[in-house]
Amino acid sequence: MLNVAPEQDILNPPAPSVGVEQAEAALVEHYPRLVRLAYLVLPPSLGRNRRVVTAHAIVQRSLPRGRGGSVDGSGSSDDGLIPGARRAEAGGDPGYVYVRRRVVRQALEAGLPLRRKAWPKRAQFPPLLPQVWGLRLFPRSGGADELVLDQRLSALSGPARAAYVLRGLERLGDDEVCAELNAAGVTEARKALAEADTVETQAGLLESAEFDPCSLQARPTDLMRRRQHGRASLAAVAAIVVCGALIGLPGDGWGPDGAAAPSYAQNPAAQAALDPGHLLRVEPTAWTTATRTDFSVWPARGGLLGDSALLRRALAVWARPGGSVQVSATPGTPSGPPMGAPQLLFAGEVDRARVVLLYDGLRVARYAEPRDGTAGAALDFARVDAADTASASALVVGRTDGNVRYLTAPWVREASVRDLLTPGAGARPLRRDKDGVTDPVVSPAQARECTSWEALEFHDDSGVRLVTDLGELAPARLTWGPPSDTRDVGDRSAREGWARTACLLPTVRSHGVRSVNDWRFAQQALPENNGTADWICTRAETWRGAGSRVFAQFQAPSAKLAPGAIAARAENSASCGIREARVLAGVLWKSRGGNWFVVAAGSEQVSSVSLSGGMTANERGNMLAVRAKEGARAELNGRLADGGRVSTLR
């Protein structure tokens, strides 16, 4: 049984001063988390589109107006606190606390009704910026559990909703929640907490895509009304053009544009990018003699390579997608038109759709339309620059009814499916057609429950690659080993480690992930002869370079290979990577005999581990195990062999 120590109590420390630069750094670093917080606290009666825009506006205007601001209540640092199963990484940053309080205050003000005798707050009005014209934005749809939670939150008052979110999303204790509510102007914080207790705490659901206003879907607004307004606007523009032609200056007109062509001139490169006849088509055997093996040497495949009308539609939608087109892109991937004629990878029928895959050197674009028309067309983008043989082994070509089909690279000789949750079972063969398109495979990224996790094994001349679907066009490669020597998952030990990590992969889903590595940085003999625990550091690297996600796991002995417990996590951290191959983590653990212990471990560079705060202990080496009481609190720190300090992930 595992338990997590709660955050340390905050006894109203003095308010530190926070500069504009510190607050801005916290806002930029934790922008997605702050926007999610604002979105959840805002009243659902605003509608999802306005909630999304208002959440972004609230966070963007939460910086101090002067050169500094004050953080009251919870401004003290709690670096090194032994984390809970999922603790708030930024909870001890005064800049983050300051911005979070302003976000909560504005979100609560946005839900207040307008009154005649009271001067209105800025948050009560629709935001001036950001603005989106012609589209309605809303987060991705979740499951039934997310819908039920959203309905229950909508029935709460604003302060109760804020209390629920601060406790579930920010992992604050009741006293800390009350301090935050008081700082936001709530007069009856305890009453709000009691009301929040009527809804069961489900912290995991608060972090789902249903409540992520940074990962959005778009739909058109009222098209008939837009058409009427468009006609009126067109008449007004025509009148302005006529007046401008009459009063415009001679010669250079309104001003010189240097060497630029006249406005709306036909650009040869732009025209070539829309012409199916200019698409690049690689020879089927080009990859065998090329100096590199990536998407640039994939041949054009599929049964519709000669359908010029389909290819023309795909290029036109890429250049200027209409309001009815469902457009999605992985984080950090631009969705603009190609700079020139792209490369054609695939054009053919997949299940009930016509699909085109294109590549422009930076991105892969997938265009799909129904077999019997163009209504409901979709355009997906994924960044795939600097790909290599392993990361360019496959692309998603179709998704239907929870299943996914892949187009495999020409150098893949054999494909098979392996369930990561059963490491002792063999892989089963996966059939491919003459173009390299696989049979449908169950997508674990779309499953509601983690009862299995089907990954793909691709065999080529370099070995066997293990990849998995994380909801994007390019599957993520899975590896095993220390950062300096990662390798493919090939032996029983690596497969057993991944069997206990697989169900944690949804935490990095739809994040532009290129590869995920599992590193067993320590093995610890547990007290009272409870067996040996594994300490695993899992690092997800992205295609864009930034935005990596890291979490440390505690894997206690388990006959059923249960998922590991997340002991600490971080984002945009160098830990467990090639640049900083070290880590330290700890948990509060209960033995089979019913006794509680603080157990901790670090990588081999750690020479000593110590506890302070609520407990005091020190152990030489990279491991620690001391007797504790249930609910004990302590700070965990480590020393490196060179005298440097190391703290837990945050």
XYZ file of all heavy atoms in Angstrom, residues 7 34 64-65 95 109 127-129 186 191 242 312 329-330 349 365 406 443 454 466 475 543 580 613 632 636 641 645:
229
model
N 0.988 18.236 1.589
C 1.833 19.421 1.594
C 1.963 19.952 3.034
O 1.085 19.782 3.888
C 1.219 20.508 0.711
C 1.019 20.104 -0.730
C 2.348 20.006 -1.471
O 3.249 20.784 -1.168
O 2.469 19.131 -2.319
N -2.169 27.496 -15.497
C -2.949 28.637 -15.019
C -4.219 28.822 -15.838
O -5.280 29.145 -15.290
C -2.082 29.902 -15.084
C -0.923 29.960 -14.074
C 0.048 31.058 -14.435
C -1.452 30.169 -12.659
N 1.731 41.903 -12.204
C 1.625 43.128 -11.405
C 1.752 44.361 -12.283
O 2.464 44.356 -13.287
C 2.793 43.009 -10.413
C 3.646 41.908 -10.884
C 2.871 41.060 -11.823
N 1.049 45.421 -11.891
C 1.061 46.639 -12.692
C 2.347 47.429 -12.491
O 2.797 48.126 -13.371
C -0.139 47.514 -12.331
C -1.474 46.902 -12.718
C -2.597 47.886 -12.467
N -3.871 47.347 -12.902
C -4.674 46.633 -12.135
N -4.324 46.370 -10.899
N -5.825 46.172 -12.593
N 6.389 33.774 -7.272
C 5.831 34.360 -8.489
C 4.611 33.611 -8.962
O 3.602 34.204 -9.360
N -14.495 36.967 -9.976
C -15.169 38.213 -10.332
C -15.955 38.070 -11.626
O -17.021 38.682 -11.790
C -14.142 39.337 -10.471
C -13.518 39.768 -9.149
C -12.397 40.767 -9.333
O -11.981 40.980 -10.495
O -11.933 41.335 -8.330
N -13.722 39.645 -22.928
C -12.349 40.146 -23.072
C -12.131 40.836 -24.416
O -12.676 40.420 -25.446
C -11.499 38.873 -22.951
C -12.414 37.775 -23.374
C -13.788 38.181 -22.923
N -11.323 41.896 -24.383
C -10.939 42.558 -25.630
C -9.909 41.729 -26.393
O -9.928 41.662 -27.621
C -10.369 43.949 -25.320
C -11.355 44.948 -24.668
C -10.635 46.241 -24.349
C -12.536 45.214 -25.602
N -8.975 41.131 -25.654
C -7.954 40.263 -26.235
C -7.798 39.059 -25.323
O -7.868 39.188 -24.096
C -6.617 41.001 -26.359
C -6.535 42.105 -27.414
C -5.197 42.837 -27.293
C -6.718 41.557 -28.822
N -12.859 36.067 -0.912
C -13.987 35.251 -0.447
C -14.119 35.422 1.065
O -13.156 35.233 1.814
C -13.772 33.768 -0.817
C -14.896 32.915 -0.260
C -13.680 33.618 -2.324
N -17.156 27.790 4.441
C -18.441 27.400 3.854
C -18.248 26.910 2.425
O -18.883 25.935 1.999
C -19.397 28.584 3.896
C -20.794 28.268 3.380
C -21.709 29.479 3.505
C -23.113 29.164 2.957
N -23.997 30.344 3.054
N -13.258 52.561 -53.728
C -13.545 53.611 -54.714
C -13.052 54.967 -54.214
O -12.401 55.733 -54.937
C -15.057 53.656 -55.019
C -15.389 54.875 -55.864
C -15.478 52.380 -55.732
N -5.576 17.925 -55.523
C -5.770 19.373 -55.585
C -6.579 19.853 -54.371
O -6.277 20.893 -53.779
C -6.479 19.755 -56.888
C -6.568 21.275 -57.118
C -7.273 21.575 -58.431
N -6.596 20.962 -59.567
C -5.532 21.504 -60.171
N -5.047 22.653 -59.746
N -4.971 20.894 -61.186
N -3.287 20.214 -34.723
C -1.832 20.237 -34.848
C -1.217 19.901 -33.504
O -1.736 20.292 -32.455
C -1.343 21.602 -35.337
N -0.120 19.162 -33.511
C 0.578 18.869 -32.275
C 1.201 20.156 -31.726
O 1.446 21.100 -32.481
C 1.686 17.827 -32.510
O 2.579 18.310 -33.524
C 1.096 16.509 -32.960
N -7.576 4.980 -50.349
C -8.738 4.784 -49.501
C -8.354 3.982 -48.266
O -7.683 2.950 -48.370
C -9.850 4.071 -50.267
C -10.503 4.927 -51.348
C -11.768 4.299 -51.890
O -12.105 3.180 -51.437
O -12.415 4.916 -52.752
N 1.415 16.365 -43.069
C 0.017 16.793 -43.075
C -0.838 15.631 -43.575
O -0.513 15.002 -44.590
C -0.176 18.011 -43.964
N -1.619 2.086 -39.671
C -0.357 2.754 -39.913
C 0.106 2.517 -41.353
O -0.145 1.464 -41.940
C 0.730 2.227 -38.974
C 0.466 2.473 -37.508
C -0.249 1.554 -36.746
C 0.937 3.614 -36.880
C -0.487 1.767 -35.392
C 0.703 3.837 -35.528
C -0.004 2.913 -34.793
O -0.237 3.123 -33.464
N -6.237 1.227 -30.525
C -5.435 2.374 -30.094
C -5.529 2.534 -28.585
O -6.593 2.868 -28.057
C -5.922 3.657 -30.778
O -5.317 4.788 -30.201
N -1.545 -2.095 -26.492
C -0.978 -2.707 -27.689
C 0.003 -1.746 -28.358
O -0.379 -0.698 -28.871
C -2.095 -3.109 -28.655
C -2.988 -4.208 -28.105
C -3.840 -4.868 -29.167
O -3.957 -4.286 -30.265
O -4.380 -5.961 -28.907
N 10.166 -0.569 -30.924
C 8.874 -0.629 -30.251
C 8.286 0.780 -30.227
O 8.914 1.715 -29.727
C 9.039 -1.149 -28.826
C 7.749 -1.405 -28.036
C 6.971 -2.553 -28.652
C 8.063 -1.706 -26.572
N 3.760 7.869 -34.331
C 3.805 7.134 -33.064
C 5.093 7.438 -32.311
O 6.104 7.830 -32.898
C 3.739 5.667 -33.513
C 4.289 5.665 -34.899
C 3.887 6.974 -35.509
N 9.088 16.410 -30.296
C 9.661 16.736 -31.597
C 10.182 18.166 -31.626
O 11.155 18.463 -32.331
C 8.609 16.547 -32.698
C 8.326 15.120 -33.037
C 7.316 14.345 -32.565
C 9.072 14.285 -33.932
N 7.380 13.080 -33.108
C 8.450 13.018 -33.957
C 10.205 14.487 -34.720
C 8.912 11.963 -34.741
C 10.673 13.439 -35.502
C 10.043 12.192 -35.505
N 21.385 16.059 -17.962
C 21.359 15.990 -16.495
C 20.853 14.615 -16.088
O 19.700 14.447 -15.696
C 20.462 17.093 -15.934
C 20.607 17.301 -14.431
C 19.783 18.483 -13.933
O 20.069 19.612 -14.389
O 18.876 18.273 -13.114
N 12.801 19.137 8.226
C 11.424 19.589 8.373
C 10.734 18.802 9.466
O 11.146 18.785 10.622
N 3.227 11.520 7.795
C 4.413 12.308 8.137
C 4.797 13.231 6.986
O 4.571 12.929 5.813
C 5.577 11.377 8.471
N 13.020 16.414 1.388
C 14.016 15.466 0.912
C 15.072 16.199 0.097
O 14.741 16.965 -0.813
C 13.330 14.391 0.054
C 14.227 13.357 -0.624
C 14.934 12.510 0.430
C 13.392 12.474 -1.542
N 28.348 13.517 -5.414
C 29.726 13.186 -5.053
C 30.642 14.391 -5.171
O 31.638 14.496 -4.445
C 30.224 12.046 -5.937
N 24.213 19.952 -4.849
C 22.938 19.550 -4.277
C 22.012 19.024 -5.372
O 22.101 19.435 -6.528
C 22.264 20.721 -3.563
C 22.947 21.148 -2.274
C 22.208 22.291 -1.613
N 22.768 22.638 -0.323
C 22.435 22.076 0.826
N 21.503 21.124 0.833
N 22.984 22.438 1.965
